[in-house]
Structure formats: structure tokens, C-alpha cells
Amino acid sequence: MRKLPPDARSTVTGRCRTPLLAVALALVAGWPGQACAQSAPAEENTLKAAFVYNFAKYTDWPDELWSRSPTLRVCTVGERGGFAQAVAALANKPAVRGKEVEVRQLARPEEASGCHFLVVAGRARMAEWTRAVRLAPVLTVGDAEGFATSGGIIGLYAEGDRLRFEINQEAAQRAGLKLSSQLLKLARLVKDESSASQR
Amino acid sequence: MNAVIEVSRRASAEPGWRSRACLIALLLVTANQSAAADAELTEMPLEQLMSEAKLRDASIASASRFNQRVSTTPSAVTVITHDDIQQYGWRTVAEVLRSVPGFYLHSDRSYDYLGARGFARPEDYNSRVLLLIDGQRTNDAIYDMAYLGSEQLIDLDLVDRIEVVRGPGSSVYGGNALFGTINIVTRTGQQIDGIEVGTSYSSFDTFYGRATYGKRLDNGADIVASVSGMDSQGPDLRFPEFNAPETNYGRTSDTAFDRNSRLYARLSQDGLSLTAAASQRENGNPGATFGVLFGDPANRQTDSQAYLSVNYTRRVSADSEVSGRLFWGAYSYDGRGVYAGATIDDPPVRNRDRAEANWWGSELKLITAWSARNKLVSGVEYQSNYRQRQWNYDLNPYQSYLDDLRHSDRSGLYAQNDFQWTDSLKISLGARYDKVGTASGELSPRLGLVFRSSEQTGWKLLYGSAFRPANVYEKFYTFPETQIANDQLKPEKLTTWEAGVDHYLGRNTRLAATTYYYRMDQLIEQITDTESGLLKHQNTGNARAQGLELEADQQWDNGARLRLSLDVSKTENAQGEQLSNSPHVVGKLLGSLPLPWMGLRLGTEGQWLSSRKTDAGTDVASYGVVNLTLLRPMAKDGWQFSASLFNLFDKKFADPAAPDVGVPMRSQFEQDGRTFRIKAIHRF
């Protein structure tokens, strides 16, 4: 197993980031732009993609897969809507743990080997995809209701006006992935309801 | 980043110029800056994303009894968050609801009552809204009252969010969900994550304290335990209707006291959740309602509530979720009144007016997405009110005036199917059948169309119906020579039509408009009986209303926000007259602004109501009040501070009073002038 970098383990409470425009305002109007504890709403799919990007910092893939691949391979399947597009935009983001992000849109389940992430957008064929990679070291992330309970590893969901995620630890263990305790602490933990029928 | 910090340091040298500039800058900023903000999201650590990044389209659980987004909910919905509650300094659920379009309050200085869409009978006991706590019904089984003031069960600082659904909800909830369904969602142990203590001091020598523990353990168990209490001496007041030498010219002290205590505990694990909640509130009766002796601090009432609930939710497949609930509840009212003796030489008479109810019940619910485009929620509910006692007696000498012991039950069966016909059109059709006691069954259908004409614009067209069965107080409460019973009361029925549009200009500006028409039939009101000349609850014909609710909500990426709303309504009773306590116009403002010092935020709330008729035929004047809260939000050092001024301009205003045979000359209750509160919360 690969060790997590120290910065992902320490308590993550960064300073508020200042939007570019606030910088401009600070220059023209003396606006410090320091308060962002209650910011304006984020674009939802961009926010979901930002969660996916962050999950990479809290996940240990088996050494073999991690060292074999020069990039962090994020594969997307499912509905070709805003979520998939927002994930595709992650390719332009800074490297995570020393690896550039590479995004691929998949058409067949067999193509998923070698992916670090499999992002499943929407409900359609959700079960088929999670079943195809259930024993492979692929972190599955979905945004459909019940994604994690039905065999996926991380499911994104809305609670009030916040985006949250639930984790199916059984599915993560099955896939041979190690999720950091800090990630588990932030998540809602759910039971795997798919395993009974699959065994 | 460093450059920005430099800039802000330099800028802080000129505070006056800068704060002005901030305001100007705020007004200039438009939605176009969003792209810049989104670019930052991936740079935020996960913890910060979860605590700060907000969704524009919130999720709501209570409207249809399953989780859905506000934009696709077939109802007009508002979600108020924990942050909002801190930012605007709200002290009670009633104050939270007052900020929501379509709602307004009135108070008789004993309880706070909610009006909706121009409808607020002065003698109503909040029986036309349904109050849920984490989905658990809390209206009591005597008055069917939703408790919203200091007698409310849950401490407001334990609240994660409040879902407010306007319009009828009987198609999924049964009785009492006429003008709205309010669901209070409490914080989880995971969110609290440690020990939290809070304290405040406010006007009228009001002390408040709270201690809360919340944690999610490694085995997945989530624990919350909280205790809090408040003690207020209350203001000195003057009631012009008692302006006589023998009643101290209407002046009274030490009679408006208010004390409460609250307990809450919840343990949840793997979909199973056990909750226990209890509260007790004792407050004075400064206005001497019911004709008690004016100025005597022995006049008071105590409201106690408790419930236990066991809830189990399990997702049985990717498409289906089942849940069950078993609950027990108790309510007690104990009114102490000191009345004048029969003659001037007789000592005062101490009277007790009491009510107690106990109930248990269970419910079962199935949510299933039975096809890619259909989602069905269905359920059954049963509640047994196994003890409903109302009694009234004088203490010394003992004399009983009423001792009425009842029991009753209610059961309901409901189903609602949401059909996503096309990607932009959803049809929601539901109905519920209720059987309350021995009365004939009630069917409450609802139809909703939700249409998205573009990414930015959504339309809702709704038909709904609701009912309210007469409660045991209305049916069986009697008092010699004052009030007689009426066991023949039929349920009230409400039918509404509603159309709404919601439009986003860019991403940070939301405009919304809702127009409605409703008709209430067999309205239950307490009126003077023509035969006996005594008060009696009767089905009195109908009431109608139409109205328009407009809302504009602008948020800026630096965290500033401004929300304006305007409600216009026209109500009519059976005689074609405007209802009493029904303002034609209600205007509201909510604003919050990050200040350039120490992360401080300024929140302001404004309310304006046009004049309202009282039942005596007089008018209470229109009024506007402004509240101000300076908040230092919870920071890494574990401290949160706030300072609030309520009714900043010390505006004198009054609410219409219920007709009271004990105080026939009263038509209104004057409300508080300027008050303050300072508050601190510390997290360990």
C-alpha cells in the first residue's frame, strides 16, 4: 500500500480562497474579500467534480496500479450531461499527489481496468458498471440515489443546501482500496445491500 | 494569495472609505463572477467544500416524504439553514417562519401564532400548520397546536435546517397540514463533533444556556445529547384596557416572565434511530386573558411536551427504501388563574384549567423508483390518542367545572406517484385517505405539474386539498356560563390552486413569483351561539383568498446576500368582508454582508405589514420593524459571538387580539419595542 502524503492527513482547514474578482475589487475598491464562510451557491456539477478530485487525496490504490500508471486516470461513464463534462474539466487541474489527471470517457466495462476512478453519472446502467469493476481496484463514484448502497463505493448526495457523500466500506475493501480515516469521518457510512444477492 | 493579504492589510488603514466602497462594490458585482469562484472549488480541501460550498437547488425531505430537489418539488418551498439562523439572530421557530414569504406572526404574549397567505384567525391555536421534527408529527392531541415560540420542543441551535412547504400537505400527512408543513431537521452528532456550549443574555434579564454533546463513534453510531434552559424576567408592560386606579392604570411588572427547559437525545446506527425529546415552558399571563385578576404574577401557564420515537430506514435495493416508525407522545397544559371572588369581600379564587394528552402511533413507508421515470411513495399511519383529558376546577373551595376524558384515533393511507414524463415535465399525483375518530373518511388529493422551460426557468402548477378535523378542545371544552361544547363539528376543508415561476438571472440571482387562490369550507370558528348566547365552536361557512408572492434573491460570491419579498393578498369571509388579522401587503427583507474586519458579518431583517382589522372592528396600524445582528461566525478557535438588536427603531406596533369574554374591551396586544441579545457559543 502506498502511504498518503502528509498534507492529506493533517487537519484540512485552509484559509478562505479569494476569488479573482474579489482580488480585482480589492484593488479598485479596497475590498479585502476575506469572508467566504457563507459564499454564493456553487455550480453543482463543478462542485461534484471538485469532490471527485479531492477523493484522490484520501485514497490508497494498490502499489502496483499506482506505480504503473504515470497519470491519475479518471474514467467516466453514464449520462453525458453536466457531471461528466465537469469531471472532464478536471484534466486541466493541477496534478494530484504527483500525477497529472487524465480523463477518459468509456463505452464498455472491460475498458475500466487501469482506471483509478470510475465516475458513474446518473442512474442508467449504474448497477452494470459497478458490478463489472467490483473486484478491481477502481474507486467508483456516482451521483444517483442509492449508488453506494447498491455496490458503488462513494455516492454523492444533497442534504439541505450541502453536497455530501456516503461510503460503502465493504465495496472499498472488496476493491482493495484503502480510504483514509479522515475521509470516512466526513462521510455517511452505509451498508452494502447488493452483496447478499451477489455472493 | 499573498498579494491579496497584502492588499487587505493595506486597505484596512482606511476603514471609512473602504466600507463605503464595499457597499458600492457589492452593488456592482454581478453573477458573471461565478466562473472565477468555480475555478477555486478544486483547490478547496474537502472539509471546507462540505462546510462552505452551497448548492443552489437544495434537497428537501418533507414535501413529498422523500428526498427531492426544491426545483422539482410540487410545492412552494423554502429551506432555512443553521447559518441563516445564526446570521439573523432568530430566537424561535416563529421568528424563522416570519422571514419566509407568505407567513406572518401574531402574539398574545403567551404564545406565538403563525398566519399564512392572509389567513390567521386571532383565536386560532396554530392548528392549521403541521410541525414535524425530523419527520415526526408534534402537533398535540388536544388543541392540535404547532408550538413555535419559547415552548417549542427543540432548541434552535440544535437545528441544521428547517424545511418550509407552503400550501396544503394533507395528501401525504393527513389532518392539520393546511397552510404549510414545517419540518425541523436536527443536527447530527457527526456535524456537532464534540462538546458545544452556548449562552446568551438579553433584554428583560433573560439568561439562556445550553450544553450539547455530539459525536459519531468509530462503529458508526451517531450520538446527540443536549440540555438547555432560559429564564426571563420579562418586560414591564402597560395595557390601556386596564387603565383604572384599581388595576394600577394598566401597568404590570413581573407578570411577563418566561422560563423553559429542553432535553434532547438521539442515538442512531445503521438506519435505526432512537430519539427522546422533552420540553417545559412556564410563562406569565401579563394581559390577564380569560378575565383573571390583572397584575397577579400567580397567573401563568405551563406547557409540557415529550416524545419518544424509534425510526428504522433501510434501502432494500437500488430502487427502493422502506422505513418504519413507532412513536409515543405526551402533552400537558396547566393554566393557573386567579379570579375575583363573587363579592368584593370574598377572597380571590384560584382556578386551574388543565389538559393532558398521551398518544402512540406507528407508520410504515415505502419509496420505490419503479421505473426509470416513475417514483412512488406510499404509506400507512395509525395514531391512538389513548388519553385526552380536559378539566377545570377551583382550588379553594374545590369546585369542578369540567372533567372530560376522551380517547380517539386516526389512521391514514396515502400514495403519491411522480412521473417524469419528459426531461422537462414532471407530473405528481397523490392522494390520502384519512379516518379520524368516528367521523366519515376524508380524501385529500393533490396534483402538481413541474415544468422546466429552460435551465434557468421552472414553472409549477398545483392543485391541492387539505382538511382539519375538529379537535377535542373545540368539540368538548365547556365552561359554565361562558362556553358550550359542540360534538357535531365537521372538519374544515381547504382547496387551493397555485401557480409559480422561478427564474435565475445568471447563477446568483433568483426571481420567483407565486400566485394562489384558496377556499376554506366549513371553517371552524368560535362564535356566540344564537340560542344560548354563549361561545361555541361552529362550522361557519367559508373563506376565500387570492394572492401573489414575489421574491428576489441576490447572492454575491463574497458571501453577501439580499432577499426581498412582497406578499399581496385579498381575503374574504362568507359575507364578502376582508378577514380580520389579514394584512393586504407584507414586505420582507433579509440582507447579510461580510465585513472587512475579523470575519464579521452583518445581518439585517426587515418586516413590513399593512394594517389589519381586529375582531372588534378596529384596525391595528401598519408597521415596519428592522432587526440587526452582528455575527462573528464559528471560527477555528471554537468561538462564535453575536450581538443583536431587535426592533431597532423602537417601533410601537400591535397584533389583533382574540375576542375574550374575560377582557371584552381588548382588541389588540402591543408588542415589544427595541430589545437586544448578546450570545456566545464555544466548541471543544
Side-chain angles (χ1 to χ4, degrees):
Chain A
M1 285 287 174
R2 202 184 157 78
K3 291 274 180 285
L4 288 172
D7 64 312
R9 289 170 179 270
S10 60
T11 311
V12 192
T13 41
R15 201 191 124 78
C16 284
R17 298 285 195 248
T18 308
L20 282 176
L21 199 102
V23 177
L25 279 175
L27 293 170
V28 300
W31 178 256
Q34 65 184 38
C36 67
Q38 297 171 26
S39 54
E43 206 289 308
E44 183 160 336
N45 289 310
T46 313
L47 183 58
K48 285 180 184 171
F51 270 65
V52 172
Y53 182 83
N54 260 284
F55 293 150
K57 301 173 189 164
Y58 298 90
T59 307
D60 264 349
W61 279 268
D63 260 343
E64 191 206 4
L65 175 70
W66 187 257
S67 47
R68 193 177 59 197
S69 168
T71 58
L72 180 77
R73 198 170 286 175
V74 179
C75 301
T76 66
V77 294
E79 293 166 12
R80 296 185 183 219
F83 185 25
Q85 281 169 22
V87 170
L90 290 180
N92 307 321
K93 299 294 174 196
V96 188
R97 292 163 62 189
K99 288 189 195 297
E100 295 291 331
V101 179
E102 177 194 354
V103 183
R104 284 188 183 184
Q105 171 92 32
L106 302 189
R108 290 194 315 273
E110 303 84 70
E111 298 168 0
S113 65
C115 297
H116 294 101
F117 277 92
L118 184 67
V119 177
V120 184
R123 287 189 75 79
R125 297 173 67 201
M126 162 179 102
E128 186 189 330
W129 282 99
T130 53
R131 212 177 307 128
V133 298
R134 64 194 292 267
L135 297 174
V138 178
L139 181 61
T140 51
V141 181
D143 67 343
E145 196 182 351
F147 180 79
T149 37
S150 54
I153 300 175
I154 302 185
L156 298 169
Y157 66 97
E159 186 178 80
D161 65 351
R162 301 300 152 114
L163 188 68
R164 306 208 182 280
F165 59 97
E166 51 187 22
I167 289 181
N168 176 343
Q169 281 179 281
E170 208 182 319
Q173 279 159 16
R174 211 163 44 206
L177 298 174
K178 190 172 180 305
L179 305 177
S180 80
S181 59
Q182 203 188 336
L183 189 69
L184 297 175
K185 192 170 163 247
L186 295 172
R188 178 165 80 183
L189 306 176
V190 295
K191 290 220 157 165
D192 195 325
E193 302 291 351
S194 71
S195 46
S197 54
Q198 302 250 342
R199 270 184 197 132
Chain B
M1 281 308 297
N2 286 337
V4 178
I5 295 165
E6 272 310 305
V7 169
S8 59
R9 277 192 194 135
R10 240 179 293 137
S12 59
E14 310 142 314
W17 142 244
R18 194 182 48 190
S19 56
R20 255 194 315 275
C22 286
L23 280 170
I24 297 163
L26 268 179
L27 297 171
L28 291 173
V29 176
T30 65
N32 302 338
Q33 60 188 272
S34 308
D38 282 345
E40 304 291 324
L41 286 174
T42 45
E43 290 171 33
M44 281 194 196
L46 195 52
E47 212 166 48
Q48 196 184 348
L49 278 178
M50 292 183 76
S51 63
E52 290 174 13
K54 290 192 288 189
L55 299 172
R56 136 179 142 177
D57 195 6
S59 129
I60 176 162
S62 54
S64 303
R65 304 189 80 156
F66 60 81
N67 285 315
Q68 60 191 332
R69 296 306 183 88
V70 167
S71 69
T72 64
T73 301
S75 299
V77 175
T78 304
V79 178
I80 291 115
T81 65
H82 182 78
D83 287 345
D84 295 333
I85 293 169
Q86 306 305 319
Q87 176 65 85
Y88 300 109
W90 292 319
R91 297 161 292 185
T92 61
V93 173
E95 290 184 339
V96 172
L97 296 174
R98 183 176 57 184
S99 75
V100 176
F103 288 119
Y104 58 103
L105 294 186
H106 63 114
S107 163
D108 61 4
R109 293 204 159 272
S110 294
Y111 300 91
D112 294 324
Y113 307 96
L114 187 68
R117 295 183 161 172
F119 194 95
R121 308 308 301 134
E123 71 278 13
D124 181 22
Y125 284 163
N126 283 344
S127 58
R128 295 176 179 109
V129 287
L130 182 66
L131 180 66
L132 310 168
I133 296 174
D134 292 322
Q136 170 69 47
R137 179 190 177 99
T138 66
N139 293 50
D140 74 78
I142 299 282
Y143 311 99
D144 278 340
M145 179 158 173
Y147 294 91
L148 306 174
S150 59
E151 76 283 9
Q152 213 298 119
L153 261 164
I154 297 291
D155 190 296
L156 212 48
D157 282 343
L158 276 188
V159 172
D160 179 57
R161 60 194 188 273
I162 300 181
E163 305 176 343
V164 184
V165 184
R166 277 171 274 161
S170 285
S171 67
V172 282
Y173 287 109
N176 304 97
L178 276 71
F179 288 106
T181 305
I182 296 139
N183 185 32
I184 297 175
V185 182
T186 56
R187 294 160 72 198
T188 62
Q190 187 181 14
Q191 287 168 324
I192 296 162
D193 197 29
I195 296 172
E196 199 175 276
V197 292
T199 183
S200 75
Y201 177 74
S202 38
S203 301
F204 317 130
D205 248 354
T206 304
F207 294 91
Y208 158 87
R210 171 178 67 93
T212 303
Y213 174 74
K215 200 85 187 167
R216 193 184 68 190
L217 308 180
D218 289 338
N219 64 5
D222 191 282
I223 304 171
V224 178
S226 182
V227 54
S228 59
M230 184 266 289
D231 189 337
S232 174
Q233 193 189 320
D236 296 344
L237 296 168
R238 195 178 158 274
F239 291 86
E241 57 273 27
F242 288 101
N243 187 9
E246 62 273 24
T247 46
N248 194 26
Y249 302 96
R251 280 181 237 281
T252 175
S253 305
D254 302 325
T255 54
F257 57 88
D258 194 352
R259 304 187 253 275
N260 70 17
S261 49
R262 291 170 170 138
L263 288 170
Y264 180 83
R266 188 183 58 217
L267 172 65
S268 24
Q269 187 168 20
D270 295 337
L272 181 69
S273 158
L274 313 171
T275 308
S279 73
Q280 185 166 67
R281 192 277 305 262
E282 179 183 59
N283 64 353
N285 178 0
T289 53
F290 315 119
V292 298
L293 278 178
F294 182 79
D296 191 332
N299 296 314
R300 59 185 64 190
Q301 55 264 325
T302 307
D303 288 271
S304 311
Q305 303 174 76
Y307 75 81
L308 296 171
S309 154
V310 184
N311 195 355
Y312 184 66
T313 304
R314 183 168 173 184
R315 180 162 280 280
V316 288
S317 72
D319 306 320
S320 305
E321 184 184 285
V322 289
S323 61
R325 189 192 288 269
L326 194 63
F327 58 92
W328 173 88
Y331 168 73
S332 115
Y333 167 80
D334 186 353
R336 295 159 197 252
V338 182
Y339 291 84
T343 72
I344 199 126
D345 301 322
D346 289 328
V349 177
R350 292 179 183 273
N351 178 271
R352 295 284 284 276
D353 188 39
R354 304 184 63 180
E356 281 181 15
N358 298 91
W359 59 90
W360 72 270
S362 61
E363 48 184 75
L364 203 62
K365 183 174 75 175
L366 171 69
I367 303 164
T368 176
W370 55 276
S371 84
R373 291 191 174 274
N374 280 284
K375 193 166 198 174
L376 177 75
V377 56
S378 55
V380 287
E381 262 179 50
Y382 172 78
Q383 179 173 326
S384 164
N385 302 312
Y386 60 87
R387 183 162 166 272
Q388 293 167 297
R389 186 183 181 202
Q390 300 180 83
W391 70 117
N392 186 300
Y393 54 94
D394 285 346
L395 279 173
N396 198 9
Y398 179 82
Q399 186 178 358
S400 171
Y401 300 107
L402 165 72
D403 195 350
D404 185 79
L405 182 62
R406 306 272 161 182
H407 61 89
S408 63
D409 59 6
R410 60 176 185 90
S411 45
L413 181 70
Y414 65 90
Q416 176 180 315
N417 190 67
D418 281 17
F419 171 46
Q420 194 73 47
W421 192 354
T422 69
D423 286 345
S424 56
L425 178 65
K426 184 165 98 168
I427 301 173
S428 169
L429 183 64
R432 175 166 162 140
Y433 181 78
D434 279 277
K435 186 101 175 70
V436 180
T438 53
S440 59
E442 288 294 330
L443 186 70
S444 312
R446 175 164 76 179
L447 173 69
L449 302 180
V450 180
F451 178 64
R452 291 213 77 79
S453 58
S454 75
E455 185 80 355
Q456 301 289 328
T457 313
W459 303 81
K460 293 179 183 183
L461 189 63
L462 313 163
Y463 162 81
S465 58
F467 76 104
R468 177 175 85 86
N471 54 53
V472 292
Y473 164 72
E474 289 163 333
K475 277 163 118 170
F476 303 118
Y477 187 85
T478 64
F479 195 82
E481 292 164 33
T482 310
Q483 187 170 341
I484 54 176
N486 182 1
D487 63 357
Q488 299 300 311
L489 282 172
K490 295 190 285 279
E492 292 178 350
K493 292 182 188 191
L494 181 78
T495 310
T496 73
W497 289 93
E498 195 174 315
V501 59
D502 206 289
H503 179 71
Y504 277 89
L505 292 170
R507 210 186 56 207
N508 290 354
T509 312
R510 175 176 170 267
L511 302 173
T514 302
T515 178
Y516 59 83
Y517 169 84
Y518 67 76
R519 182 189 163 95
M520 177 92 93
D521 287 303
Q522 296 171 186
L523 179 62
I524 299 171
E525 293 213 275
Q526 191 180 46
I527 56 173
T528 305
D529 182 42
T530 44
E531 282 172 40
S532 60
L534 302 179
L535 289 174
K536 183 180 177 184
H537 284 97
Q538 299 190 34
N539 294 103
T540 63
N542 61 58
R544 295 174 298 280
Q546 49 200 336
L548 180 67
E549 293 158 359
L550 300 172
E551 198 182 340
D553 193 343
Q554 167 74 46
Q555 304 198 45
W556 287 270
D557 280 345
N558 63 12
R561 179 175 187 183
L562 181 65
R563 192 183 89 191
L564 297 166
S565 72
L566 187 71
D567 311 335
V568 185
S569 67
K570 185 174 179 300
T571 58
E572 248 178 26
N573 63 14
Q575 288 75 43
E577 301 156 339
Q578 170 92 355
L579 293 173
S580 58
N581 197 11
S582 177
H584 278 299
V585 182
V586 179
K588 299 177 187 194
L589 174 153
L590 280 180
S592 74
L593 184 71
L595 300 176
W597 313 280
M598 300 180 298
L600 291 176
R601 297 183 59 89
L602 187 67
T604 180
E605 178 184 21
Q607 298 269 337
W608 189 85
L609 265 77
S610 65
S611 69
R612 291 168 286 172
K613 255 177 37 179
T614 71
D615 279 359
T618 57
D619 281 338
V620 297
S622 63
Y623 74 89
V625 293
V626 175
N627 305 327
L628 216 54
T629 293
L630 186 64
L631 172 73
R632 190 262 195 170
M634 181 60 72
K636 270 173 264 170
D637 62 6
W639 286 97
Q640 173 182 314
F641 300 101
S642 68
S644 304
L645 281 171
F646 306 100
N647 195 353
L648 181 66
F649 300 111
D650 203 20
K651 173 77 185 167
K652 280 205 183 319
F653 69 102
D655 288 333
D660 186 342
V661 286
V663 197
M665 56 289 194
R666 169 153 55 219
S667 62
Q668 62 183 54
F669 281 100
E670 192 170 304
Q671 303 298 318
D672 285 337
R674 185 189 304 120
T675 59
F676 73 89
R677 180 182 73 172
I678 48 174
K679 183 175 167 183
I681 297 176
H682 185 52
R683 265 185 205 170
F684 299 93

